Amino acid sequence: MPAQNQPRHRLIVALDVPTAAQALALADSLAPQVGFFKVGLQLFLDAGFAVCDALSKRGHKVMLDLKFHDIPQTVALATAQLANHDIALATVHGYPQVVAAAAKAKGRTKILAVTVLTSLGHEELAQSGFAGTLADLVVLRAETSLAAGADGIVCSPLETSLVRKALGTKAVIATPGIRPLDSARDDQTRTATPQAAIAAGADYIIVGRPITKAADPAAAARAIIDEIG
């Protein structure tokens, strides 16, 4: 099995903590089981690229999840900042102009387009005025994002199989909203187990609170790796 397809490399742990010190301590406690970590908005506002650099110097891969969404010029300039850092994956919102701007400036980083946030439910979708279903919107944004130059997409596990069928095997699919059977759903409305997400076609599963809030985070991570193995 190629290294990137091994279960431990398909788990991305979301370091959704307020400080770099907490994030790095958590990453150290999860190594060597976990080698891929997500830096989101909360952590980035505390530590900026310094925490990304510290993770990469430890030999970890980094997903920078800032979900860029602005005018194309601003998105291109922001994405260009990634070139000075070892960022494996970065997220933008799945609108064609945003994706195209990021794709042109991405360098070595792979750009993932966020289709529909996993906290969005059918009631909120109806309020937005979109006439189709959540799945329709996810597939539409996935297809238009790939056409605009994205390397892959972020979608909930409930739409992963549809997106994989629509996009084929080359597109990267990263799936948040992962909840082991014994975990609370928290503020996620579209969730699935780790095994179900991988079976549906996800390349990566993104897991935060079921690991980071566990009494034994390393044990929780190992259990998820075993489940997807």
Side-chain angles (χ1 to χ4, degrees):
M1 180 184 293
Q4 66 271 21
N5 292 332
Q6 293 177 3
R8 68 177 296 269
H9 294 292
R10 302 182 75 175
L11 171 62
I12 301 175
V13 173
L15 297 175
D16 295 331
V17 294
T19 70
Q22 290 173 281
L24 296 176
L26 182 56
D28 290 343
S29 74
L30 293 172
Q33 291 95 343
V34 179
F36 210 145
F37 294 95
K38 181 175 81 72
V39 174
L41 186 59
Q42 178 190 26
L43 180 56
F44 193 81
L45 287 175
D46 174 72
F49 281 113
V51 69
C52 301
D53 295 341
L55 288 166
S56 62
K57 286 178 181 178
R58 284 164 160 78
H60 302 311
K61 290 184 178 180
V62 177
M63 176 182 183
L64 185 59
D65 185 27
L66 300 183
K67 300 181 181 71
F68 293 158
H69 186 191
D70 212 311
I71 63 171
Q73 176 70 357
T74 298
V75 170
L77 292 172
T79 306
Q81 295 286 341
L82 306 181
N84 297 321
H85 307 276
D86 191 7
I87 307 296
L89 304 173
T91 59
V92 304
H93 272 285
Y95 297 93
Q97 300 93 331
V98 173
V99 173
K104 290 177 182 177
K106 68 179 184 177
R108 297 172 297 168
T109 301
K110 290 186 177 181
I111 297 298
L112 301 186
V114 177
T115 52
V116 177
L117 297 175
T118 53
S119 60
L120 186 74
H122 296 285
E123 182 177 344
E124 291 87 356
L125 180 67
Q127 292 172 352
S128 75
F130 184 74
T133 66
L134 275 168
D136 293 335
L137 181 57
V138 169
V139 172
L140 173 64
R141 287 186 176 167
E143 291 176 333
T144 56
S145 294
L146 262 289
D151 297 287
I153 62 97
V154 178
C155 69
S156 96
L158 300 191
E159 294 89 37
T160 298
S161 62
L162 292 174
V163 171
R164 179 57 74 196
K165 183 178 180 180
L167 301 184
T169 59
K170 292 185 178 180
V172 175
I173 298 179
T175 303
I178 302 300
R179 292 292 182 270
L181 289 175
D182 59 350
S183 293
R185 291 172 65 180
D186 300 305
D187 57 352
Q188 308 282 6
T189 63
R190 304 191 328 277
T191 66
T193 65
Q195 185 179 49
I198 293 295
D203 295 291
Y204 301 104
I205 58 171
I206 303 166
V207 185
R209 285 165 285 189
I211 292 175
T212 61
K213 300 297 185 183
D216 186 342
R222 283 194 300 272
I224 289 173
I225 292 168
D226 290 343
E227 180 179 335
I228 66 177

